[in-house]
Each structure stands twice: as C-alpha cells, then as structure tokens.
Amino acid sequence: MSSQTKRSFKGAAQSLLIVVFASALGLGFANLAGVNSIEIGAYSAVFVCAVVAFAVNWLAFIPSALAQKDTYYDTVGALTYLSVIGLAASYAWPLDTRAMVVAAMVGIWAIRLGSFLFSRIHASGGADQRFEKIKINPPRFLVAWTLQAVWVVFTASAALAIITSQQTAPLDGPFWAGAAIWVIGFAFEVVADSQKRKFKKDPANKGKFIDTGLWAWSQHPNYFGEFTLWFGILVMAIPLLTGWSWLTVISPIFVFLLLTRVSGVNLLDGIAKERWGDDPAYQAYRKNTPVLFPSPPKG
C-alpha cells in the first residue's frame, strides 16, 4: 500500500470518526434537552426531531457527493429547520399561543434565509468556496452535512423545547420581551442582507467594501441579527425550562460561537483582509466599527 493510499485511508477514518462523534453529541444533547417534551413513540419529541435533522442532511449528502456539488447545502439547512419544526408542531398540536408564535418565527426565518442563500449561491455561479476542496472528498463532505444537522439541533433546541413542552405558560414578561428581541434581530438580519445585496448590485461599488447603513454600525450586522433573534427565542422559553431542558440555553451561545469563532466572522474577515487589508479606509473602518454588536458611527 502506497503512502498516499495510507494517508487517504487515515483521512477518511478521521472524517468518519468526526461524523460519529458529532452525531452522538447532537443526539445525546437532544435526548437530555427533551426531557420535558411530549413523546413520539418511546422517545422525546426533541430527540426524534434530532434524528430527522441528521436523516435529512445525510440523504441530501448522497446526490451532492455523487455530483460533487454544494449548490443546495444552505437550502437543505433551511429545509431541515422547517422539517423539525413542522414535525414538532404536528405532534404537539394543538399548540398554545407561545408555541404557535415560536413555530411561526422559526418558519419565517428559515424561509427568508433559505431563499436568500439560494438566490445568492445561484447568482455566484452555484458554488460555495467553503466546499471547494472538501466536496471532492466524500468523507470530509459528509462531515460538513453532519455538522449542519448538529447546527440545527443545537440552534433550534430552545424553540423545540417551547413547541413540544408538556407544560404551558401565560403570555408573560419573558414572552413579550423575547418576542421584541426576536423582531429586532430579524429586522437587523433582513435589512443588513438587503443593504449588502443592493450595494453589490451597483456597478459603482465593484471592488469596494460596504460601510453604509447598518454596516456603518457593525462590521457584521446580519450576524448580530442572527444571534439576537435566537436569544429572543431562548428568553421566550425560560418559563418552560426545568431540569435538563435548561441545556437549551446553548442555542444563542452556540450561534454566537459559530459566527464569531468558527466560520462566520473569521472566514469573512480573512477574505476582507486579503482584498482591502492595505486600504487606509478599510483599516479605519475596522478600527472604528464594532465587529458584531452595533453602535453609532464615530464622527
């Protein structure tokens, strides 16, 4: 066996080990977080939803790996949210007002973000540079699809806890406060994405970075909106959380760490530095503009 073949086997084994670990982590988390949820058969609804999240992504992986394409990766992510929320709502029906509002919130967010990402990927030629190297390597590509399922399980956990809870709570302070926080976050995400889309469509802005609108208040206002809306859903869940279901506090924390430490900010900042790192205007922008949490422009 050649050294190259050995390295290939080793790499594949490592990737599959990550898949097993990530799956166990996501399913184990769902099993604990769903301790207060209704049951579907012999399992908690949250756990069953987690199984569905992995199944959707693994099924989508098969044709994507065969075609070596990542065109529908983000779209499948949105469909996964819709699948688990729809499943949870159907088994918990009829829903109380809190659960119905949260299900609608996640559905609206998933449809909006999924359609936005779908149009963006097709506008850029149907390929995502994040997967340029790994989509030709099935084990590594499978890791990406598995991690997307984990992302859905962790992020949607507070929403699932609300929808599938065996208990109900009146429309109290946490409900209204959380709903207001969600609206603020959703508005930030939608407006920021819209502003950036319009900026890029203007030929006069070719090769430039955006520093207007919400982007003058934050370097990543869309990511601020993403974190904020999931934090709002967690606030809405607080009256229903007891015991192990408090694990769902990880929802906005996971989103924050993912966006600031893993893929979002780090990836985009690296690309931006390559393009405009020597530009004094960009250096001033980075110095004077908060990375995530917005504040009024200086000067």
Side-chain angles (χ1 to χ4, degrees), residues 8-275:
S8 297
F9 273 114
K10 183 179 180 180
Q14 290 175 338
S15 294
L16 293 177
L17 186 61
I18 293 173
V19 168
V20 171
F21 175 78
S23 303
L25 179 64
L27 293 173
F29 168 81
N31 187 53
L32 292 174
V35 68
N36 295 325
S37 74
I38 60 173
E39 292 188 349
I40 300 178
Y43 302 96
S44 74
V46 175
F47 179 81
V48 174
C49 286
V51 173
V52 169
F54 283 101
V56 168
N57 280 274
W58 287 339
L59 288 173
F61 156 77
I62 296 172
S64 298
L66 291 174
Q68 295 186 353
K69 288 187 176 181
D70 54 73
T71 307
Y72 300 104
Y73 181 84
D74 289 325
T75 304
V76 171
L79 290 175
T80 306
Y81 277 101
L82 294 174
S83 297
V84 299
I85 294 299
L87 177 65
S90 65
Y91 274 94
W93 195 265
L95 303 178
D96 67 351
T97 303
R98 184 188 304 263
M100 193 173 297
V101 169
V102 167
M105 284 176 167
V106 178
I108 291 169
W109 168 82
I111 292 172
R112 202 290 307 183
L113 183 62
S115 59
F116 170 76
L117 295 176
F118 180 81
S119 61
R120 188 178 69 176
I121 193 70
H122 279 270
S124 63
D128 191 325
Q129 63 180 0
R130 292 176 298 172
F131 306 108
E132 184 177 351
K133 295 181 179 179
I134 67 172
K135 64 186 178 184
I136 60 175
N137 185 318
R140 291 185 64 191
F141 203 25
L142 178 59
V143 170
W145 289 92
T146 302
L147 293 179
Q148 178 160 253
V150 174
W151 167 55
V152 173
V153 171
F154 276 68
T155 304
S157 60
L160 291 174
I162 294 172
I163 296 169
T164 65
S165 177
Q166 299 184 50
Q167 304 172 354
T168 60
L171 302 186
D172 49 12
F175 172 83
W176 295 110
I181 293 170
W182 184 90
V183 169
I184 292 171
F186 185 71
F188 254 86
E189 185 171 271
V190 171
V191 173
D193 284 341
S194 177
Q195 289 176 342
K196 192 168 187 178
R197 186 194 301 115
K198 291 179 180 178
F199 180 86
K200 286 187 173 182
K201 283 185 176 180
D202 188 344
N205 295 324
K206 185 176 182 180
K208 298 180 180 180
F209 63 91
I210 182 171
D211 60 353
T212 56
L214 292 180
W215 301 84
W217 290 62
S218 168
Q219 294 179 40
H220 303 279
N222 52 339
Y223 289 165
F224 167 76
E226 179 86 352
F227 162 76
T228 301
L229 67 87
W230 288 112
F231 179 71
I233 289 179
L234 173 63
V235 172
M236 298 173 74
I238 288 175
L240 302 174
L241 301 181
T242 59
W244 283 108
S245 63
W246 276 102
L247 283 175
T248 58
V249 300
I250 200 173
S251 171
I253 296 173
F254 179 79
V255 172
F256 177 81
L257 294 176
L258 182 68
L259 294 178
T260 60
R261 296 290 184 267
V262 182
S263 60
V265 172
N266 288 341
L267 177 63
L268 293 179
D269 281 359
I271 295 173
K273 287 179 181 178
E274 289 182 4
R275 293 177 178 174

